[in-house]
Amino acid sequence: LLTEPVIEIQRKHTVRPPLLVLIDRSPSMSVDEQGGSRIDQVLQWIFKEAFANLRQTMRVVSFDFSDQVQEISLDTLTAATHGHATDIAKSVEHAIIHHTDDVSAVVLISDGAHNFSTDPVRAISEIGVPIHTFAIGSETEFPQDLQIVAVESPAVAYVGQPVRARVALHSWGLNGKVLVRVSAGEAVVSEIEVVVTGLSLIHISEP
């Protein structure tokens, strides 16, 4: 063995940390602007040469999101939207936490019309991963929206006795009075005018 030739082969394999790309496909991305929808603008950018070069040099892992988030292939991405709301905070957290490798950065492509779950700015700032945003759509026309965050009411109610419910509302782009109405079928049970500024708590009595 001492006189026989020995060949030693060494191979070096570099695994790059993934770059996560999150694409907003919530209903607001179907809004038409400048001759095309917002999601159409995203598709045009993704298939440009600059982004194609990025995919060759980085390990890109892609997700789309609305009120849910899922991993996708960019090659099969279409202009179809889905879901009922936009949850940026949960989508970014899910993509990072459920990815097994260390994440180098996140590219967030969205119109910013977050209207579900927690404050995305606060949630993202606590993650500790660089977030690069690619804004889609108008910067001056942020949609007005009002969301029922939670409803609390007694577990037991008695016939003919009023029931007091506690309702949490979250508003975007609304500062002023709104009418909150409780109905059973076509009959109006109760209604109250409230002033909303961001997160508001109100009490509604139902007879």
Side-chain angles (χ1 to χ4, degrees):
L1 291 177
L2 294 176
T3 59
E4 292 181 1
V6 176
I7 298 177
E8 181 179 339
I9 300 177
Q10 293 184 348
R11 293 181 179 178
K12 184 178 180 181
H13 180 61
T14 303
V15 179
R16 298 183 181 90
L19 172 69
L20 306 187
V21 176
L22 276 76
I23 301 170
D24 187 348
R25 291 180 71 188
S26 61
S28 63
M29 293 293 286
S30 64
V31 173
D32 285 329
E33 289 184 341
Q34 301 176 354
S37 68
R38 293 172 178 175
I39 191 65
D40 286 333
Q41 297 177 42
V42 174
L43 292 172
Q44 292 175 12
W45 181 73
I46 284 177
F47 293 111
K48 282 185 177 180
E49 183 178 356
F51 191 78
N53 293 337
L54 179 66
R55 295 177 64 186
Q56 292 178 357
T57 57
M58 301 285 292
R59 186 157 64 96
V60 176
V61 181
S62 305
F63 299 82
D64 73 2
F65 69 92
S66 53
D67 48 359
Q68 301 292 327
V69 58
Q70 61 184 354
E71 188 170 340
I72 61 167
S73 168
L74 288 177
D75 297 324
T76 59
L77 183 65
T78 68
T81 58
H82 59 75
H84 304 284
T86 307
D87 193 342
I88 295 176
K90 187 183 78 172
S91 299
V92 173
E93 289 177 344
H94 174 91
I96 293 175
I97 294 173
H98 289 79
H99 209 281
T100 56
D101 301 325
D102 292 333
V103 176
S104 60
V106 173
V107 176
L108 176 64
I109 306 173
S110 174
D111 59 5
H114 173 86
N115 57 4
F116 199 71
S117 184
T118 58
D119 179 8
V121 175
R122 179 180 300 176
I124 289 174
S125 65
E126 296 173 352
I127 290 175
V129 174
I131 308 289
H132 306 285
T133 57
F134 188 92
I136 300 293
S138 171
E139 296 182 3
T140 58
E141 297 182 5
F142 194 84
Q144 294 182 332
D145 204 353
L146 184 66
Q147 174 194 1
I148 298 176
V149 179
V151 177
E152 297 178 2
S153 61
V156 178
Y158 299 96
V159 176
Q161 297 297 319
V163 175
R164 191 170 178 83
R166 187 169 184 259
V167 181
L169 302 175
H170 201 168
S171 64
W172 293 264
L174 292 170
N175 284 295
K177 295 180 179 180
V178 298
L179 185 65
V180 178
R181 179 180 293 121
V182 179
S183 59
E186 305 222 352
V188 176
V189 176
S190 176
E191 62 181 21
I192 183 174
E193 190 175 63
V194 297
V195 177
V196 293
T197 54
L199 184 62
S200 306
L201 296 176
I202 63 173
H203 293 86
I204 299 177
S205 294
E206 301 180 23

